[in-house]
Amino acid sequence: MPLYLGLDASTQGLTAIVVEIDQRDRRIVFQHSLNFDRDLPEYGTTAGVRQGADAGVVYAPPEMWADALDRMMGTLASAAEVDVENIRAISGSAQQHGSVYLNGSAGTVLSQLDPVARLAPQLETMFARRESPVWLDASTTPECREIEAAVGGAETLRAITGSTAYERFTGPQIRKFHKEQPEAYDATTRIHLVSSFMASLLRGATAPIDPGDGSGMNLMDLAGNSWSPAALDATAPGLLEKLPPIRPSFESSGRLSSYWQKRYTFPPAAIVNWSGDNPSSLIGTGVIRPGILAVSLGTSDTVFACTPHPGPRPSHIFRAPTGDLMTLVCFRNGSLAREWMRFEHRLDWDTVARLLEEQPGNGGYVMLPWLETETTPSVPHAGFRRFGFDQMDVGKNVRGLVEGQMMAMANHTANVTADPVERIIATGGAAANRALLQVMANVFGVDVYRLDVGNSAALGAALRAYHADRLAVGEPVSWKTVVSGFTEPNPGHRVSPNPKLAVMYADLRQEYAILEALHKDRPPIC
Ligand code: XUL
């Protein structure tokens, strides 16, 4: 039976998911994760990254990702449940924005790997930079402003690339490298994203960047899925020849190299272009058409959709693997603020649930949930804003925080998509809390479903490998068919809104919007 491998190189680890798909059966047959801190301690990372000496600098060693790939392929090859002979195509996703810098020896090194030896030590000479800046890096504010000014302003950059300049995006990171280490920049012949770097390791040659991950760089013309000459010129000299080509995420760039075939007896499976973890997770969550909204409750909360009709001001627009657009807004105060509240009042999740259920709507008392400065809306002064209660009332604080977060997400959804929302798919660690999802359902006024699969980006990559394989053999399958059997919402995990509470929250959301507009630019009153 044909098998498809999806890999996800996230910030903290590497996950592999193998799916089996034929006429009769569709199921996950293998799922395994490596954690960088725990399983590769020799690289000295904390949560998968290292902090630099300068403020805001965060990076990872690219050999660590290669080493993890080598170990994962070894584990997969010896897994009893997988007949690796049957793997037809491999794709992947990776943390977005991070970059890998290679010198002129990379082509030779990758094509002449010794299958008897470990991968990572063989790559040592091909890096033009030992560190890969990752998306947590926040050290490029001057470069962001310089790039925006050079293209004619922040809004022009947004119109071209889908986002104004962001510190973590690849263009500002490349500009900073060029300014600080011009010789090392000149010695760089190839700049990869983490996704195209990993695909290149599998292929044994340069792999392209797909439009999904390319749209997280501040370098790609979103309308044309091509490098933007204006953005490239604004970033660093001679950049075009250092970047891989942009190719669709449903194409293969080649086959698994002889290194992997000989080392672990893999077949020459097609290497389907990798993408960013967010675009790939659209497929893994089944968010493939307008009307479905995904809400990810993580350290930050994210609301995203797959739509041809973006709202007026999403934080970012990326290209989705379906060819539509992926629009998203990020809320910095997600689990960050929820966990702070739990810790502050020494509450377990059962108690939080009881408090949320005790008085939905909080008796009309609202809180603006900005423990830290916020990105949506832009809030420069940190601090909760409470209206009509103080920090001593635990119940009002818990409800004020969670309901405030949900009302902010619901109100700002208009910036994500112009499509009416039919249902919500909830993902991320905090989605395990049913009481939170009940507040979400009541505030948005639609059904909320929790997904079963933990790593939706890796699942999305495996399903994309399947989609590309069918296309390549002239038997294309629709995205609906691709995700069928894997991402249907489980009715047992449905949380429906209480109609009366939905009406009540519709009113409270208006009050919340007024308070937000009044207070977002003002410091909190202590
Ligand atoms: C998205 C972003 C993160 C990383 C995490 O813009 O920076 O979600 O992709 O892996």
Side-chain angles (χ1 to χ4, degrees), residues 9-11 94-97 135-136 168-169 276-278 302 316 318 328 330:
S10 77
T11 316
Q95 54 173 304
Q96 293 197 253
H97 320 299
W135 65 280
L136 293 155
R168 67 191 194 283
F169 276 41
D277 52 5
N278 291 298
T302 314
H316 309 299
F318 298 140
L328 65 163
C330 306

Side-chain angles (χ1 to χ4, degrees), residues 432-450:
N433 302 295
R434 201 182 163 92
L436 236 59
L437 301 195
Q438 185 63 62
V439 179
M440 190 187 290
N442 292 340
V443 169
F444 280 80
V446 295
D447 286 344
V448 175
Y449 292 86
R450 183 164 56 76

Side-chain angles (χ1 to χ4, degrees), residues 229-503:
L232 264 56
D233 283 354
T235 301
L239 185 50
L240 183 61
E241 50 270 29
K242 297 184 200 292
L243 294 171
I246 299 176
R247 299 297 309 161
S249 55
F250 51 78
E251 267 184 23
S252 310
S253 63
R255 301 211 156 256
L256 192 64
S257 78
S258 63
Y259 174 78
W260 303 102
Q261 294 185 39
K262 291 186 184 139
R263 184 160 171 77
Y264 296 122
T265 68
F266 278 97
I271 305 301
V272 174
N273 296 336
W274 285 41
S275 188
D277 52 5
N278 291 298
S280 201
S281 74
L282 276 186
I283 305 302
T285 50
V287 179
I288 53 166
R289 64 168 178 82
I292 312 175
L293 192 73
V295 177
S296 167
L297 300 175
T299 310
S300 308
D301 291 339
T302 314
V303 177
F304 57 91
C306 176
T307 176
H309 316 112
R313 277 194 85 81
S315 311
H316 309 299
I317 308 184
F318 298 140
R319 181 64 62 192
T322 56
D324 275 334
L325 297 171
M326 170 175 199
T327 49
L328 65 163
V329 286
C330 306
F331 299 82
R332 188 159 173 242
N333 287 281
S335 288
L336 191 75
R338 288 186 290 272
E339 291 305 322
W340 182 91
M341 178 70 76
R342 275 200 331 118
F343 188 77
E344 178 71 6
H345 296 292
R346 296 194 177 77
L347 305 171
D348 56 24
W349 273 110
D350 287 343
T351 311
V352 171
R354 187 176 54 70
L355 291 170
L356 290 175
E357 284 155 8
E358 208 168 74
Q359 194 184 25
N362 212 16
Y365 291 104
V366 171
M367 179 197 225
L368 298 171
W370 305 323
L371 173 69
E372 300 285 347
T373 58
E374 180 52 74
T375 44
T376 308
S378 173
V379 178
H381 307 285
F384 291 139
R385 274 70 154 180
R386 301 175 180 87
F387 300 93
F389 63 101
D390 62 23
Q391 69 269 35
M392 303 308 287
D393 188 328
V394 180
K396 283 206 172 46
N397 275 274
V398 167
R399 287 186 294 275
L401 173 67
V402 172
E403 293 180 354
Q405 290 182 326
M406 297 299 168
M407 288 194 281
M409 286 195 265
N411 287 349
H412 287 279
T413 292
N415 276 323
V416 179
T417 172
D419 309 303
V421 177
E422 293 163 25
R423 65 164 181 253
I424 294 175
I425 305 293
T427 65
N433 302 295
R434 201 182 163 92
L436 236 59
L437 301 195
Q438 185 63 62
V439 179
M440 190 187 290
N442 292 340
V443 169
F444 280 80
V446 295
D447 286 344
V448 175
Y449 292 86
R450 183 164 56 76
L451 279 189
D452 292 331
V453 177
N455 192 316
S456 51
L459 175 62
L463 296 178
R464 290 194 304 100
Y466 163 65
H467 172 265
D469 175 58
R470 293 291 84 200
L471 196 64
V473 297
E475 295 170 14
V477 275
S478 68
W479 284 107
K480 191 167 176 232
T481 308
V482 169
V483 303
S484 140
F486 291 102
T487 65
E488 275 86 9
N490 179 340
H493 291 167
R494 182 176 61 210
V495 182
S496 297
N498 172 322
K500 280 197 187 131
L501 294 179
V503 171

Side-chain angles (χ1 to χ4, degrees), residues 43 62-71 73 109-110 113-124 126-127 197-198 200-202 204 257 259-260 263-264:
Y43 292 96
E63 307 96 286
M64 176 178 77
W65 299 324
D67 213 349
L69 183 64
D70 192 6
R71 291 193 204 187
M73 295 297 266
V109 170
L110 287 176
L113 294 168
D114 174 1
V116 179
R118 279 176 53 212
L119 177 64
Q122 299 189 66
L123 306 180
E124 257 170 31
M126 76 175 198
F127 294 106
F197 170 65
M198 297 297 273
S200 302
L201 295 179
L202 291 173
S257 78
Y259 174 78
W260 303 102
R263 184 160 171 77
Y264 296 122

